[in-house]
């Protein structure tokens, strides 16, 4: 909430004079209200109880969870193949592609450096294409949609729960997994890891693959991403 308010104050000020970074003191004063053990879920009463001054933001899981529910609903009707676009950062695949020989859908992975206003050529809006089959999800977390800048430094909206800052090790990470809710959670968490740690983490989990767009434009992959999913990598020198 603190970071959100600072970001909104900056982005709503055309003069740029209201752009600041919250101090560690301000952030640490709010840290006690981020303890998940203080969230009490009563499944029988279908209620959640929070301590005073606490609130919940479901942005890191809601799209994935709802995608899963939509998939469950649509799958009742035995469609041969379909794609759900739950915002450009959450794509779900059902069934098989009706005309493609490999029966998979071809999806673009957004280039986090792309700016429509400076380069309206949408062919440059993605840096890779990938093949996804039935039941697979492509979920992306990045620094390019919700952010603000202070003294030339970019501060995005995904905050590390320990450092209390928006750690920045890459521009984006895109996750492929069969569980849409887990994919949403994984992408958020892995985005806050150094790329090498993220690769090690992804490689340790069966059925999880990822592609990273680094701060310097370097593209990295988990162990089986290239062989199992990558179609084409663009704009790489």
């Amino acid at each position: 909430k603190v970071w959100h308010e600072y970001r909104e104050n900056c982005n709503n000020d055309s003069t740029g004079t209201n752009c600041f970074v919250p101090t560690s003191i301000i952030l640490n004063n709010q840290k006690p209200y981020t303890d998940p053990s203080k969230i009490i879920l009563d499944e029988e009463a279908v209620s959640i109880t929070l301590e005073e001054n606490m609130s919940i933001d479901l942005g890191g899981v809601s799209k994935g969870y709802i995608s899963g529910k939509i998939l469950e609903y649509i799958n009742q009707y035995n469609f041969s193949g379909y794609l759900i676009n739950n915002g450009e950062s959450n794509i779900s695949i059902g069934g098989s592609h009706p005309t493609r020989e490999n029966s998979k859908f071809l999806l673009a992975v957004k280039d986090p450096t792309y700016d429509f206003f400076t380069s309206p050529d949408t062919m440059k809006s993605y840096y890779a294409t990938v093949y996804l089959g039935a039941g697979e999800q492509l979920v992306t977390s990045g620094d390019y949609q919700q952010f603000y800048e202070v003294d030339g430094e970019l501060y995005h909206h995904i905050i590390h729960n320990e450092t209390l800052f928006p750690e920045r090790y890459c521009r984006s990470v895109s996750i492929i997994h069969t569980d849409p809710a887990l994919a949403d959670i994984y992408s958020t968490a892995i985005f806050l890891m150094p790329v090498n740690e993220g690769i090690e983490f992804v490689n340790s989990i069966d059925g999880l693959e990822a592609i990273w767009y680094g701060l310097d434009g370097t593209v990295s992959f988990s162990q089986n991403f290239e062989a199992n999913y990558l179609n084409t990598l663009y704009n790489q020198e």
Side-chain angles (χ1 to χ4, degrees):
K1 184 178 179 181
V2 171
W3 280 104
H4 176 82
E5 291 176 352
Y6 273 71
R7 184 174 71 248
E8 291 298 297
N9 288 339
C10 177
N11 289 337
N12 290 330
D13 178 14
S14 60
T15 67
T17 58
N18 201 25
C19 295
F20 303 100
V21 176
T23 65
S24 295
I25 293 175
I26 291 173
L27 295 171
N28 278 299
N29 283 341
Q30 300 301 312
K31 190 172 184 179
Y33 308 122
T34 67
D35 183 355
S37 68
K38 296 179 181 179
I39 303 172
I40 308 302
L41 172 65
D42 186 331
E43 295 190 23
E44 291 187 5
V46 194
S47 67
I48 294 176
T49 304
L50 309 175
E51 288 199 358
E52 187 176 3
N53 296 318
M54 292 184 69
S55 62
I56 296 178
D57 184 333
L58 299 177
V61 68
S62 56
K63 280 187 179 180
Y65 177 80
I66 293 301
S67 294
K69 291 301 180 183
I70 294 172
L71 285 167
E72 289 177 10
Y73 177 80
I74 293 179
N75 284 338
Q76 299 176 86
Y77 297 95
N78 298 317
F79 288 112
S80 59
Y82 61 89
L83 179 151
I84 299 174
N85 184 346
N86 197 353
E88 65 178 21
S89 60
N90 292 69
I91 308 293
S92 301
I93 302 298
S96 58
H97 193 281
T99 61
R100 191 164 285 120
E101 186 175 343
N102 64 4
S103 299
K104 295 186 176 182
F105 287 77
L106 185 63
L107 304 181
V109 183
K110 182 177 175 63
D111 185 337
T113 67
Y114 175 74
D115 185 344
F116 175 82
F117 296 102
T118 59
S119 177
D121 182 1
T122 55
M123 291 294 291
K124 298 180 180 179
S125 65
Y126 50 90
Y127 73 93
T129 53
V130 296
Y131 282 117
L132 259 67
E136 293 180 324
Q137 329 292 320
L138 178 68
V139 179
T140 299
S141 291
D143 66 6
Y144 52 89
Q145 287 187 322
Q146 300 184 58
F147 66 90
Y148 74 111
E149 294 186 18
V150 181
D151 297 328
E153 188 74 23
L154 185 149
Y155 296 88
H156 57 76
H157 71 296
I158 304 176
I159 312 305
H160 196 291
N161 62 310
E162 294 178 351
T163 68
L164 308 184
F165 273 76
E167 301 296 338
R168 195 159 177 254
Y169 300 107
C170 63
R171 297 300 313 274
S172 70
V173 61
S174 297
I175 301 298
I176 295 178
H177 195 264
T178 55
D179 185 316
L182 275 178
D184 210 353
I185 294 170
Y186 279 141
S187 70
T188 303
I190 294 166
F191 178 72
L192 293 174
M193 300 178 186
V195 174
N196 288 340
E197 290 184 16
I199 292 173
E200 184 178 352
F201 176 80
V202 173
N203 289 344
S204 71
I205 298 175
D206 291 339
L208 181 63
E209 298 294 339
I211 180 173
W212 288 257
Y213 192 102
L215 296 176
D216 61 356
T218 300
V219 176
S220 304
F221 309 97
S222 56
Q223 185 173 353
N224 299 310
F225 189 95
E226 287 184 89
N228 294 349
Y229 296 104
L230 184 66
N231 174 50
T232 304
L233 191 63
Y234 301 90
N235 304 323
Q236 299 298 305
E237 298 179 356

